[in-house]
Amino acid sequence: MFTIDADSDPDQTFPQSVASGGPTPDGVILWTRIAPEVFDPAEPLGVQVAHDEAMTDLVYEGAVTDADQIRAHDYTVKIDLAGHLDAAESYYYRFIYRGVASRRGRCRTLPDSDATPDSIRFAVLACQNYLNGYFPAFHHVAEEDVDFLVHVGDFIYESDNGQFKGFGSYDYAGREKSLPSGHDRVWSLADYRYLYRTYRSDRFLQEALESHTLIAGWDDHEMVNDVYWDRRTNAPAGDHPRGDDPAFMTELIADAMHAWWEYMPARVEYDPNGDALQERFRLWRTFEFGDLVTLALTDERLFRDPPREAIPTPDNVGPHREPPGRTMLGDEQREWLVETLTESETRWTVWADEVLTVPFRIGSGPFSLYPVQGGWDGYTRERQRITEAVAAADVDNFVTLTGDMHSYVAAYQQASYPGRVTGGEGVAQGDRIGVEFMTPAITSLNVAEALHLTRGWRKRLTEPLLSWLVPLMNPHIEFFDGHSWGYSVVEFTGDACTYVGYAVDKTTNEPTADRSVVAAYRVPSGVVDLIDVTDEYA
Ligand SMILES: [Fe+2]
């Protein structure tokens, strides 16, 4: 149906390559973008899906001809294959435009709901500041034998200069960028599109998205830093020069959603013409992997109340200190989440929770601080409602997958966190109800970099020190590392859930960048017990 010039360069026609996402048991969404310079409204865009790498055993062939739609969406194209594919299968695909074939992608469908998969493996990803390092971690992700990518947010950062870097950050040649608006913070739809185009031009990120099917969430930086919903103005607000201008912020967040929707192959409900911003977009959704895993993915930005104004000390942190009614999820999403977690019938019940679930204390006794107020430490009433519901329903094998903090964490989740957090002694005395595994940042500023401790003797001294201190101050945290960057692989089987946190050298833009294992933990099915298995993987 399509003729292909074998000598043509795919990057000239498809500068952001290809991607897949939004898996179901009978389909995925395929994504590409046509270079505007080669776009011809009279030419159809072809797509082929095959069982084999050579693209001879075709299972689907189609064409997109709606030139107005393609132009209106920054030349991005999504093709939904729902109904065309078989469950739990891998396929190869490519796009063809004016005789040029794109690079070949590989995609995967979900297992059927009545299937019994032996295992499901995710690469869990977060926080990829393009200006703060190179992306060889994505090259390693591309080569991982995983079923899906789960991205828990900060796919882009909304600045073109060093605003989300720190004291100990280095410069990375070739990463300098300039937003079309001329501002140093994102200001318009054109700016967001520019950021996605730039990030998606990275060859290692492309490789990861070509190799695996994406399950995408978002966090704040896809919109603006620390974005929240101001109920007084009924508009978003956050860390932006115009962050307190409700009309501007409403428009800006609408632009952020629109660009996200154009550039991410995700199966979400989106109505660009809807009246209320909060009703236009529904990020939260469930993925089921046969009888093995239920994955609930939440939106923790569009509905969240403002951060608390008080400095978080033991005397003002905790459900009894918080004004009633504070929320991160909003009522409707919270009810959906609690229902999804407590009614799950799969062996593992997993919450892709963008931000740190468990408390994080620095200090001791009355000299404690809870610095991660953007995580659930700033929303302790709602956290307790969720954890108590999970405990009351006796949910077995409960796991949260988190990001945002640019650290590696393995921790116990508890029904509640009494003691200091609620006025008594200690910090973590509730019943254990599950575990939390945090994936590190691909490149974004971590605590060691913020304090200029990433290299030489400072790293050798402070890395073990922090990894010792944090669990000491937080008895529910089994492992912490804030000195590396990379990704994690989380595998679920009938017997166990295993987390392996990898560090990848972000200072080299080469596929040979060093990779090492930071930590590996295993939780056996049926017991809440974190077993250190780092030696098995090191
Ligand atoms: Fe981040």
Side-chain angles (χ1 to χ4, degrees), residues 98-118:
R98 299 180 64 181
V100 180
S102 70
R103 290 175 188 272
R104 190 184 50 235
R106 198 183 55 167
C107 61
R108 188 165 179 83
T109 52
L110 296 181
D112 261 325
S113 55
D114 59 1
T116 55
D118 290 339

Side-chain angles (χ1 to χ4, degrees), residues 91-415:
Y91 296 90
Y92 296 90
Y93 65 94
R94 67 182 172 189
F95 291 89
I96 300 158
Y97 194 65
R98 299 180 64 181
V100 180
S102 70
R103 290 175 188 272
R104 190 184 50 235
R106 198 183 55 167
C107 61
R108 188 165 179 83
T109 52
L110 296 181
D112 261 325
S113 55
D114 59 1
T116 55
D118 290 339
S119 75
I120 290 291
R121 287 162 62 86
F122 299 138
V124 188
L125 311 167
C127 299
Q128 53 207 52
N129 189 346
Y130 186 86
L131 277 69
N132 201 39
Y134 301 113
F135 288 174
F138 282 118
H139 173 74
H140 289 285
V141 168
E143 301 203 325
E144 284 286 352
D145 176 20
V146 294
D147 296 296
F148 299 96
L149 308 181
V150 176
H151 202 295
V152 291
D154 290 354
F155 195 93
I156 57 166
Y157 280 71
E158 76 285 17
S159 167
D160 67 357
N161 68 12
Q163 290 188 333
F164 302 112
K165 297 175 73 164
F167 176 54
S169 297
Y170 295 84
D171 288 331
Y172 296 92
R175 300 304 245 191
E176 311 80 10
K177 290 296 155 209
S178 178
L179 292 170
S181 67
H183 293 278
D184 52 21
R185 288 283 182 111
V186 76
W187 221 262
S188 63
L189 179 58
D191 284 352
Y192 284 113
R193 285 171 166 170
Y194 170 84
L195 287 166
Y196 283 106
R197 285 199 304 271
T198 302
Y199 279 59
R200 294 284 294 277
S201 65
D202 183 275
R203 204 37 221 135
F204 294 140
L205 176 52
Q206 289 178 359
E207 283 179 355
L209 296 175
E210 288 161 8
S211 304
H212 307 293
T213 293
L214 177 67
I215 293 172
W218 67 23
D219 199 17
D220 52 342
H221 290 286
E222 283 89 347
M223 294 173 270
V224 305
N225 188 30
D226 293 340
V227 66
Y228 62 89
W229 192 262
D230 188 340
R231 290 196 227 178
R232 294 165 311 172
T233 58
N234 202 30
D239 171 25
H240 188 279
R242 301 276 296 274
D244 57 357
D245 177 341
F248 179 89
M249 288 299 288
T250 300
E251 190 110 332
L252 189 68
I253 300 308
D255 290 342
M257 285 175 180
H258 197 73
W260 190 94
W261 180 83
E262 288 176 336
Y263 276 84
M264 300 300 261
R267 195 175 297 281
V268 293
E269 289 170 34
Y270 172 52
D271 173 9
N273 301 311
D275 293 337
L277 205 49
Q278 288 179 323
E279 282 159 23
R280 282 187 199 177
F281 204 98
R282 189 169 149 149
L283 186 81
W284 79 77
R285 57 206 196 275
T286 315
F287 297 83
E288 284 197 355
F289 304 81
D291 66 358
L292 190 60
V293 177
T294 298
L295 177 73
L297 187 149
T298 41
D299 173 357
E300 306 189 343
R301 293 293 167 179
L302 201 50
F303 303 91
R304 70 158 60 198
D305 283 325
R308 295 187 65 196
E309 281 163 27
I311 298 165
T313 69
D315 294 331
N316 63 15
V317 162
H320 62 309
R321 309 274 188 198
E322 253 183 51
R326 265 177 70 71
T327 183
M328 187 188 293
L329 301 177
D331 293 342
E332 190 189 348
Q333 183 179 196
R334 184 187 57 252
E335 279 162 26
W336 163 83
L337 176 68
V338 166
E339 209 176 285
T340 304
L341 299 179
T342 57
E343 291 176 9
S344 155
E345 287 176 355
T346 53
R347 176 158 304 233
W348 298 93
T349 298
V350 184
W351 175 16
D353 176 11
E354 291 153 23
V355 299
L356 182 73
T357 320
V358 302
F360 189 84
R361 174 171 75 163
I362 295 289
S364 175
F367 304 104
S368 299
L369 290 173
Y370 294 84
V372 191
Q373 288 292 296
W376 285 95
D377 276 352
Y379 302 81
T380 53
R381 276 179 187 266
E382 193 171 48
R383 171 169 64 195
Q384 194 155 331
R385 281 178 76 165
I386 296 165
T387 52
E388 284 181 351
V390 168
D394 231 341
V395 176
D396 284 335
N397 300 327
F398 177 48
V399 178
T400 53
L401 301 177
T402 56
D404 179 58
M405 232 176 98
H406 310 167
S407 306
Y408 304 73
V409 173
Y412 289 104
Q413 299 184 66
Q414 299 179 180

